[in-house]
Short mmCIF file of all heavy atoms in Angstrom, two decimals:
data_model
loop_
_atom_site.label_atom_id
_atom_site.label_comp_id
_atom_site.label_asym_id
_atom_site.label_seq_id
_atom_site.Cartn_x
_atom_site.Cartn_y
_atom_site.Cartn_z
N SER L 31 39.68 -8.34 -43.37
CA SER L 31 38.93 -9.13 -42.43
C SER L 31 37.68 -8.39 -41.94
O SER L 31 37.73 -7.20 -41.67
CB SER L 31 39.77 -9.47 -41.17
OG SER L 31 40.63 -10.57 -41.42
N TYR L 33 34.41 -9.00 -39.15
CA TYR L 33 33.90 -9.76 -38.03
C TYR L 33 32.48 -9.31 -37.72
O TYR L 33 32.16 -8.11 -37.83
CB TYR L 33 34.76 -9.50 -36.78
CG TYR L 33 36.25 -9.62 -36.98
CD1 TYR L 33 36.98 -8.56 -37.55
CD2 TYR L 33 36.92 -10.78 -36.63
CE1 TYR L 33 38.33 -8.68 -37.76
CE2 TYR L 33 38.31 -10.86 -36.81
CZ TYR L 33 39.00 -9.83 -37.42
OH TYR L 33 40.35 -9.92 -37.60
N TYR L 35 29.53 -9.41 -34.61
CA TYR L 35 29.26 -9.67 -33.21
C TYR L 35 27.80 -9.33 -32.92
O TYR L 35 27.23 -8.42 -33.55
CB TYR L 35 30.15 -8.77 -32.34
CG TYR L 35 31.63 -9.06 -32.40
CD1 TYR L 35 32.42 -8.44 -33.37
CD2 TYR L 35 32.26 -9.91 -31.49
CE1 TYR L 35 33.81 -8.70 -33.42
CE2 TYR L 35 33.61 -10.17 -31.54
CZ TYR L 35 34.37 -9.55 -32.51
OH TYR L 35 35.71 -9.82 -32.56
N GLN L 37 25.33 -8.00 -29.92
CA GLN L 37 25.29 -7.37 -28.59
C GLN L 37 23.84 -7.37 -28.13
O GLN L 37 23.05 -6.48 -28.47
CB GLN L 37 25.85 -5.94 -28.62
CG GLN L 37 25.92 -5.31 -27.25
CD GLN L 37 26.56 -3.90 -27.25
OE1 GLN L 37 26.68 -3.28 -28.30
NE2 GLN L 37 26.93 -3.41 -26.11
N GLY L 40 22.34 -7.19 -21.83
CA GLY L 40 22.82 -7.93 -20.68
C GLY L 40 23.80 -9.07 -20.97
O GLY L 40 24.27 -9.71 -20.06
N LEU L 41 24.12 -9.26 -22.24
CA LEU L 41 25.03 -10.38 -22.58
C LEU L 41 26.37 -9.93 -23.13
O LEU L 41 27.16 -10.78 -23.53
CB LEU L 41 24.31 -11.28 -23.62
CG LEU L 41 23.09 -12.02 -23.14
CD1 LEU L 41 22.50 -12.84 -24.26
CD2 LEU L 41 23.43 -12.93 -21.95
N GLY L 42 26.61 -8.67 -23.19
CA GLY L 42 27.88 -8.23 -23.76
C GLY L 42 27.94 -8.49 -25.24
O GLY L 42 26.93 -8.68 -25.90
N LEU L 43 29.14 -8.59 -25.78
CA LEU L 43 29.33 -8.84 -27.18
C LEU L 43 29.66 -10.33 -27.39
O LEU L 43 30.62 -10.84 -26.80
CB LEU L 43 30.45 -8.01 -27.78
CG LEU L 43 30.11 -6.59 -28.14
CD1 LEU L 43 30.19 -5.71 -26.93
CD2 LEU L 43 31.01 -6.09 -29.25
N PHE L 45 30.78 -13.17 -30.20
CA PHE L 45 31.35 -13.33 -31.54
C PHE L 45 30.47 -14.26 -32.39
O PHE L 45 30.07 -15.35 -31.92
CB PHE L 45 32.74 -13.90 -31.43
CG PHE L 45 33.30 -14.45 -32.73
CD1 PHE L 45 33.60 -13.60 -33.77
CD2 PHE L 45 33.47 -15.80 -32.89
CE1 PHE L 45 34.08 -14.09 -34.96
CE2 PHE L 45 33.97 -16.31 -34.08
CZ PHE L 45 34.25 -15.44 -35.11
N TRP L 48 33.75 -14.66 -38.55
CA TRP L 48 34.96 -13.95 -39.01
C TRP L 48 35.18 -14.36 -40.47
O TRP L 48 35.28 -15.55 -40.77
CB TRP L 48 36.14 -14.27 -38.14
CG TRP L 48 37.49 -13.85 -38.73
CD1 TRP L 48 37.72 -12.75 -39.49
CD2 TRP L 48 38.73 -14.52 -38.58
NE1 TRP L 48 39.04 -12.69 -39.82
CE2 TRP L 48 39.70 -13.77 -39.29
CE3 TRP L 48 39.12 -15.68 -37.91
CZ2 TRP L 48 41.04 -14.15 -39.33
CZ3 TRP L 48 40.46 -16.04 -37.96
CH2 TRP L 48 41.40 -15.29 -38.68
N ASN L 56 36.29 -18.44 -38.94
CA ASN L 56 35.90 -18.91 -37.59
C ASN L 56 34.43 -18.56 -37.36
O ASN L 56 33.89 -17.64 -37.95
CB ASN L 56 36.78 -18.30 -36.53
CG ASN L 56 36.73 -19.09 -35.21
OD1 ASN L 56 36.32 -20.24 -35.19
ND2 ASN L 56 37.12 -18.46 -34.11
N LEU L 88 21.71 -5.63 -31.04
CA LEU L 88 22.52 -4.78 -31.91
C LEU L 88 23.58 -5.66 -32.53
O LEU L 88 24.29 -6.40 -31.81
CB LEU L 88 23.16 -3.66 -31.06
CG LEU L 88 24.02 -2.64 -31.79
CD1 LEU L 88 23.14 -1.81 -32.74
CD2 LEU L 88 24.77 -1.78 -30.81
N LEU L 90 26.95 -5.80 -34.50
CA LEU L 90 28.12 -4.95 -34.84
C LEU L 90 29.01 -5.64 -35.79
O LEU L 90 29.30 -6.86 -35.65
CB LEU L 90 28.85 -4.62 -33.55
CG LEU L 90 28.11 -3.71 -32.55
CD1 LEU L 90 28.86 -3.68 -31.22
CD2 LEU L 90 28.00 -2.31 -33.12
N SER L 94 39.45 -5.36 -39.80
CA SER L 94 40.85 -5.17 -39.47
C SER L 94 41.70 -5.48 -40.67
O SER L 94 41.27 -6.17 -41.60
CB SER L 94 41.28 -6.09 -38.29
OG SER L 94 41.33 -7.42 -38.69
N PRO L 97 47.52 -8.81 -40.06
CA PRO L 97 48.26 -8.52 -38.85
C PRO L 97 49.71 -8.08 -39.09
O PRO L 97 50.24 -7.33 -38.27
CB PRO L 97 48.23 -9.85 -38.06
CG PRO L 97 47.94 -10.88 -39.10
CD PRO L 97 47.11 -10.20 -40.14
N ALA L 100 53.23 -7.01 -36.47
CA ALA L 100 52.76 -6.74 -35.14
C ALA L 100 52.08 -7.96 -34.53
O ALA L 100 51.90 -8.05 -33.33
CB ALA L 100 51.81 -5.56 -35.15
N GLY L 101 51.62 -8.89 -35.41
CA GLY L 101 50.98 -10.06 -34.88
C GLY L 101 49.50 -9.90 -34.70
O GLY L 101 48.75 -10.88 -34.79
N VAL L 102 49.02 -8.73 -34.53
CA VAL L 102 47.59 -8.49 -34.42
C VAL L 102 47.33 -7.03 -34.63
O VAL L 102 48.12 -6.16 -34.25
CB VAL L 102 47.09 -8.90 -33.02
CG1 VAL L 102 47.69 -8.05 -31.92
CG2 VAL L 102 45.57 -8.90 -32.96
N ASN L 103 46.22 -6.74 -35.26
CA ASN L 103 45.75 -5.38 -35.43
C ASN L 103 44.39 -5.21 -34.77
O ASN L 103 43.59 -6.17 -34.75
CB ASN L 103 45.64 -5.02 -36.91
CG ASN L 103 47.01 -4.67 -37.50
OD1 ASN L 103 47.90 -4.23 -36.79
ND2 ASN L 103 47.16 -4.87 -38.78
N GLU L 104 44.14 -4.04 -34.25
CA GLU L 104 42.86 -3.80 -33.58
C GLU L 104 41.74 -3.83 -34.60
O GLU L 104 41.94 -3.58 -35.80
CB GLU L 104 42.88 -2.49 -32.83
CG GLU L 104 43.12 -1.26 -33.70
CD GLU L 104 44.60 -0.90 -33.72
OE1 GLU L 104 45.42 -1.81 -33.53
OE2 GLU L 104 44.89 0.27 -33.91
N GLN L 105 40.55 -4.14 -34.12
CA GLN L 105 39.37 -4.15 -34.94
C GLN L 105 38.66 -2.81 -34.80
O GLN L 105 38.58 -2.25 -33.69
CB GLN L 105 38.45 -5.29 -34.49
CG GLN L 105 39.09 -6.65 -34.73
CD GLN L 105 38.22 -7.79 -34.21
OE1 GLN L 105 37.02 -7.65 -34.01
NE2 GLN L 105 38.85 -8.94 -33.99
N PHE L 106 38.19 -2.31 -35.91
CA PHE L 106 37.44 -1.06 -35.95
C PHE L 106 35.95 -1.38 -36.17
O PHE L 106 35.63 -2.13 -37.12
CB PHE L 106 37.96 -0.16 -37.05
CG PHE L 106 39.36 0.32 -36.80
CD1 PHE L 106 40.45 -0.45 -37.16
CD2 PHE L 106 39.59 1.53 -36.17
CE1 PHE L 106 41.75 -0.04 -36.92
CE2 PHE L 106 40.90 1.97 -35.92
CZ PHE L 106 41.96 1.17 -36.29
N PHE L 107 35.12 -0.81 -35.35
CA PHE L 107 33.73 -1.20 -35.36
C PHE L 107 32.83 -0.18 -36.08
O PHE L 107 33.09 1.05 -36.03
CB PHE L 107 33.20 -1.35 -33.94
CG PHE L 107 33.62 -2.63 -33.25
CD1 PHE L 107 34.90 -2.79 -32.78
CD2 PHE L 107 32.75 -3.70 -33.16
CE1 PHE L 107 35.30 -3.95 -32.18
CE2 PHE L 107 33.13 -4.89 -32.58
CZ PHE L 107 34.42 -5.02 -32.07
N GLY L 108 31.80 -0.68 -36.72
CA GLY L 108 30.75 0.15 -37.25
C GLY L 108 29.71 0.51 -36.19
O GLY L 108 29.82 0.06 -35.05
N PRO L 109 28.73 1.35 -36.57
CA PRO L 109 27.74 1.80 -35.59
C PRO L 109 26.71 0.76 -35.25
O PRO L 109 25.99 0.91 -34.27
CB PRO L 109 27.11 3.01 -36.31
CG PRO L 109 27.28 2.72 -37.77
CD PRO L 109 28.58 1.98 -37.87
N GLY L 110 26.62 -0.30 -36.05
CA GLY L 110 25.68 -1.36 -35.73
C GLY L 110 24.35 -1.27 -36.46
O GLY L 110 23.96 -0.20 -36.96
N TYR C 32 46.62 -11.39 -26.24
CA TYR C 32 46.50 -10.03 -26.70
C TYR C 32 45.30 -9.44 -25.96
O TYR C 32 44.27 -10.09 -25.87
CB TYR C 32 46.22 -9.96 -28.19
CG TYR C 32 47.31 -10.49 -29.10
CD1 TYR C 32 47.06 -11.44 -30.08
CD2 TYR C 32 48.62 -10.04 -28.99
CE1 TYR C 32 48.04 -11.90 -30.93
CE2 TYR C 32 49.63 -10.50 -29.85
CZ TYR C 32 49.33 -11.44 -30.81
OH TYR C 32 50.30 -11.89 -31.64
N PHE C 34 42.72 -5.95 -25.10
CA PHE C 34 42.19 -4.72 -25.66
C PHE C 34 41.18 -4.06 -24.72
O PHE C 34 40.51 -4.76 -23.95
CB PHE C 34 41.49 -5.00 -27.00
CG PHE C 34 42.30 -5.72 -28.01
CD1 PHE C 34 42.50 -7.07 -27.97
CD2 PHE C 34 42.91 -5.01 -29.04
CE1 PHE C 34 43.25 -7.74 -28.92
CE2 PHE C 34 43.67 -5.64 -30.01
CZ PHE C 34 43.82 -7.03 -29.94
N TYR C 36 37.97 -1.30 -25.26
CA TYR C 36 37.10 -0.51 -26.14
C TYR C 36 36.10 0.25 -25.31
O TYR C 36 35.74 -0.13 -24.20
CB TYR C 36 36.33 -1.42 -27.11
CG TYR C 36 37.12 -2.02 -28.25
CD1 TYR C 36 37.89 -3.16 -28.06
CD2 TYR C 36 37.12 -1.43 -29.50
CE1 TYR C 36 38.63 -3.71 -29.12
CE2 TYR C 36 37.85 -1.94 -30.54
CZ TYR C 36 38.60 -3.11 -30.35
OH TYR C 36 39.31 -3.60 -31.39
N GLN C 38 32.22 2.31 -25.56
CA GLN C 38 30.99 2.47 -26.37
C GLN C 38 30.17 3.62 -25.78
O GLN C 38 29.70 3.55 -24.66
CB GLN C 38 30.17 1.19 -26.40
CG GLN C 38 28.99 1.24 -27.31
CD GLN C 38 28.23 -0.08 -27.36
OE1 GLN C 38 28.15 -0.79 -26.36
NE2 GLN C 38 27.68 -0.43 -28.51
N ASN C 41 24.35 4.74 -28.41
CA ASN C 41 23.94 4.67 -29.83
C ASN C 41 25.13 4.74 -30.79
O ASN C 41 24.97 5.19 -31.93
CB ASN C 41 22.93 5.75 -30.16
CG ASN C 41 21.69 5.65 -29.28
OD1 ASN C 41 21.15 4.55 -29.11
ND2 ASN C 41 21.27 6.75 -28.73
N ARG C 42 26.28 4.30 -30.31
CA ARG C 42 27.46 4.28 -31.18
C ARG C 42 28.10 2.90 -31.14
O ARG C 42 27.86 2.10 -30.27
CB ARG C 42 28.48 5.29 -30.65
CG ARG C 42 27.98 6.71 -30.54
CD ARG C 42 28.16 7.50 -31.80
NE ARG C 42 29.55 7.71 -32.13
CZ ARG C 42 30.26 8.68 -31.69
NH1 ARG C 42 29.77 9.58 -30.82
NH2 ARG C 42 31.54 8.82 -32.04
N GLY C 43 28.96 2.64 -32.15
CA GLY C 43 29.72 1.42 -32.11
C GLY C 43 30.86 1.54 -31.12
O GLY C 43 30.97 2.51 -30.41
N LEU C 44 31.68 0.50 -31.06
CA LEU C 44 32.82 0.49 -30.14
C LEU C 44 33.99 1.27 -30.73
O LEU C 44 34.29 1.20 -31.92
CB LEU C 44 33.26 -0.93 -29.86
CG LEU C 44 32.51 -1.67 -28.75
CD1 LEU C 44 31.11 -1.96 -29.15
CD2 LEU C 44 33.24 -2.96 -28.40
N GLN C 45 34.66 1.99 -29.87
CA GLN C 45 35.87 2.70 -30.26
C GLN C 45 37.08 2.12 -29.53
O GLN C 45 37.01 1.88 -28.33
CB GLN C 45 35.76 4.18 -29.87
CG GLN C 45 34.69 4.95 -30.62
CD GLN C 45 34.66 6.41 -30.23
OE1 GLN C 45 35.68 6.99 -29.86
NE2 GLN C 45 33.49 7.01 -30.27
N PHE C 46 38.14 1.89 -30.28
CA PHE C 46 39.34 1.30 -29.74
C PHE C 46 40.06 2.31 -28.81
O PHE C 46 40.18 3.48 -29.16
CB PHE C 46 40.27 0.91 -30.88
CG PHE C 46 41.66 0.53 -30.47
CD1 PHE C 46 41.91 -0.73 -29.94
CD2 PHE C 46 42.70 1.41 -30.68
CE1 PHE C 46 43.20 -1.06 -29.55
CE2 PHE C 46 43.99 1.06 -30.31
CZ PHE C 46 44.25 -0.17 -29.75
N LYS C 49 45.71 -1.36 -26.62
CA LYS C 49 45.93 -2.78 -26.70
C LYS C 49 47.29 -3.12 -26.07
O LYS C 49 48.21 -2.30 -26.04
CB LYS C 49 45.91 -3.25 -28.14
CG LYS C 49 47.04 -2.71 -29.02
CD LYS C 49 46.92 -3.16 -30.46
CE LYS C 49 48.01 -2.54 -31.33
NZ LYS C 49 47.84 -2.86 -32.78
N TYR C 50 47.36 -4.34 -25.55
CA TYR C 50 48.62 -4.91 -25.09
C TYR C 50 49.00 -6.05 -26.03
O TYR C 50 48.21 -7.00 -26.21
CB TYR C 50 48.52 -5.41 -23.65
CG TYR C 50 49.74 -6.23 -23.28
CD1 TYR C 50 50.91 -5.55 -22.86
CD2 TYR C 50 49.76 -7.61 -23.31
CE1 TYR C 50 52.05 -6.28 -22.55
CE2 TYR C 50 50.89 -8.31 -22.99
CZ TYR C 50 52.04 -7.66 -22.61
OH TYR C 50 53.17 -8.36 -22.28
N ILE C 51 50.20 -5.92 -26.60
CA ILE C 51 50.71 -7.00 -27.48
C ILE C 51 51.88 -7.69 -26.79
O ILE C 51 51.86 -8.91 -26.57
CB ILE C 51 51.15 -6.46 -28.84
CG1 ILE C 51 49.98 -5.69 -29.50
CG2 ILE C 51 51.65 -7.56 -29.74
CD1 ILE C 51 48.78 -6.54 -29.81
N LEU C 88 30.21 3.03 -21.70
CA LEU C 88 30.31 1.59 -21.43
C LEU C 88 31.66 1.10 -21.93
O LEU C 88 32.02 1.36 -23.07
CB LEU C 88 29.17 0.87 -22.17
CG LEU C 88 28.92 -0.60 -21.91
CD1 LEU C 88 28.68 -0.86 -20.43
CD2 LEU C 88 27.73 -1.09 -22.73
N PHE C 90 34.50 -1.98 -22.50
CA PHE C 90 34.62 -3.41 -22.74
C PHE C 90 36.08 -3.77 -22.79
O PHE C 90 36.87 -3.18 -23.51
CB PHE C 90 33.96 -3.84 -24.07
CG PHE C 90 32.47 -3.77 -24.04
CD1 PHE C 90 31.80 -2.66 -24.53
CD2 PHE C 90 31.74 -4.84 -23.58
CE1 PHE C 90 30.42 -2.63 -24.55
CE2 PHE C 90 30.35 -4.82 -23.58
CZ PHE C 90 29.70 -3.70 -24.05
N ARG C 94 42.36 -12.02 -26.85
CA ARG C 94 42.58 -12.97 -27.94
C ARG C 94 43.82 -13.77 -27.62
O ARG C 94 44.83 -13.22 -27.23
CB ARG C 94 42.76 -12.21 -29.27
CG ARG C 94 42.37 -12.97 -30.48
CD ARG C 94 43.12 -12.46 -31.69
NE ARG C 94 44.27 -13.30 -31.97
CZ ARG C 94 45.11 -13.06 -32.95
NH1 ARG C 94 44.99 -12.00 -33.71
NH2 ARG C 94 46.13 -13.87 -33.17
N GLY C 98 45.42 -18.32 -31.39
CA GLY C 98 44.06 -18.60 -31.80
C GLY C 98 43.59 -17.78 -32.99
O GLY C 98 44.37 -17.10 -33.62
N ALA C 99 42.32 -17.89 -33.24
CA ALA C 99 41.72 -17.13 -34.31
C ALA C 99 41.68 -15.64 -33.98
O ALA C 99 41.89 -15.24 -32.86
CB ALA C 99 40.29 -17.63 -34.60
N ASN C 100 41.40 -14.83 -35.01
CA ASN C 100 41.49 -13.38 -34.85
C ASN C 100 40.35 -12.77 -34.06
O ASN C 100 40.47 -11.65 -33.57
CB ASN C 100 41.54 -12.71 -36.21
CG ASN C 100 42.90 -12.74 -36.82
OD1 ASN C 100 43.78 -13.41 -36.30
ND2 ASN C 100 43.11 -12.03 -37.91
N ASN C 101 39.24 -13.48 -33.93
CA ASN C 101 38.10 -12.87 -33.25
C ASN C 101 38.38 -12.66 -31.77
O ASN C 101 39.18 -13.34 -31.15
CB ASN C 101 36.85 -13.72 -33.41
CG ASN C 101 37.06 -15.15 -33.02
OD1 ASN C 101 37.62 -15.91 -33.83
ND2 ASN C 101 36.67 -15.51 -31.83
N LEU C 102 37.70 -11.64 -31.21
CA LEU C 102 37.92 -11.26 -29.83
C LEU C 102 36.85 -11.83 -28.95
O LEU C 102 35.72 -12.04 -29.35
CB LEU C 102 37.88 -9.74 -29.70
CG LEU C 102 38.96 -8.98 -30.52
CD1 LEU C 102 38.74 -7.47 -30.36
CD2 LEU C 102 40.35 -9.39 -30.06
N PHE C 103 37.21 -12.07 -27.70
CA PHE C 103 36.25 -12.46 -26.66
C PHE C 103 36.10 -11.24 -25.72
O PHE C 103 37.10 -10.80 -25.16
CB PHE C 103 36.73 -13.70 -25.91
CG PHE C 103 36.67 -14.94 -26.74
CD1 PHE C 103 37.70 -15.27 -27.61
CD2 PHE C 103 35.56 -15.76 -26.69
CE1 PHE C 103 37.61 -16.42 -28.39
CE2 PHE C 103 35.48 -16.91 -27.45
CZ PHE C 103 36.50 -17.23 -28.31
N PHE C 104 34.88 -10.83 -25.58
CA PHE C 104 34.62 -9.62 -24.80
C PHE C 104 34.05 -9.93 -23.44
O PHE C 104 33.34 -10.95 -23.23
CB PHE C 104 33.62 -8.72 -25.52
CG PHE C 104 34.18 -7.98 -26.71
CD1 PHE C 104 34.28 -8.55 -27.96
CD2 PHE C 104 34.66 -6.68 -26.54
CE1 PHE C 104 34.81 -7.85 -29.03
CE2 PHE C 104 35.15 -5.96 -27.60
CZ PHE C 104 35.25 -6.56 -28.86
N GLY C 105 34.32 -9.04 -22.48
CA GLY C 105 33.63 -9.05 -21.24
C GLY C 105 32.24 -8.49 -21.41
O GLY C 105 31.84 -8.05 -22.49
N THR C 106 31.47 -8.51 -20.31
CA THR C 106 30.07 -8.06 -20.38
C THR C 106 29.95 -6.55 -20.25
O THR C 106 28.85 -6.02 -20.36
CB THR C 106 29.25 -8.72 -19.28
OG1 THR C 106 29.90 -8.54 -18.04
CG2 THR C 106 29.05 -10.22 -19.57
N GLY C 107 31.06 -5.87 -20.05
CA GLY C 107 31.03 -4.42 -20.04
C GLY C 107 30.88 -3.87 -18.64
O GLY C 107 30.28 -4.45 -17.76
#
Side-chain angles (χ1 to χ4, degrees):
Chain L
S31 278
Y33 311 80
Y35 294 87
Q37 186 177 14
L41 294 179
L43 279 84
F45 165 69
W48 167 35
N56 198 17
L88 182 67
L90 293 169
S94 71
V102 65
N103 281 333
E104 59 268 26
Q105 296 176 19
F106 294 85
F107 283 78
Chain C
Y32 295 128
F34 304 81
Y36 285 83
Q38 186 177 35
N41 301 314
R42 303 272 295 275
L44 274 68
Q45 294 181 30
F46 169 77
K49 66 182 176 185
Y50 171 80
I51 304 298
L88 189 57
F90 289 96
R94 207 205 97 182
N100 279 10
N101 51 280
L102 300 177
F103 289 84
F104 285 86
T106 51

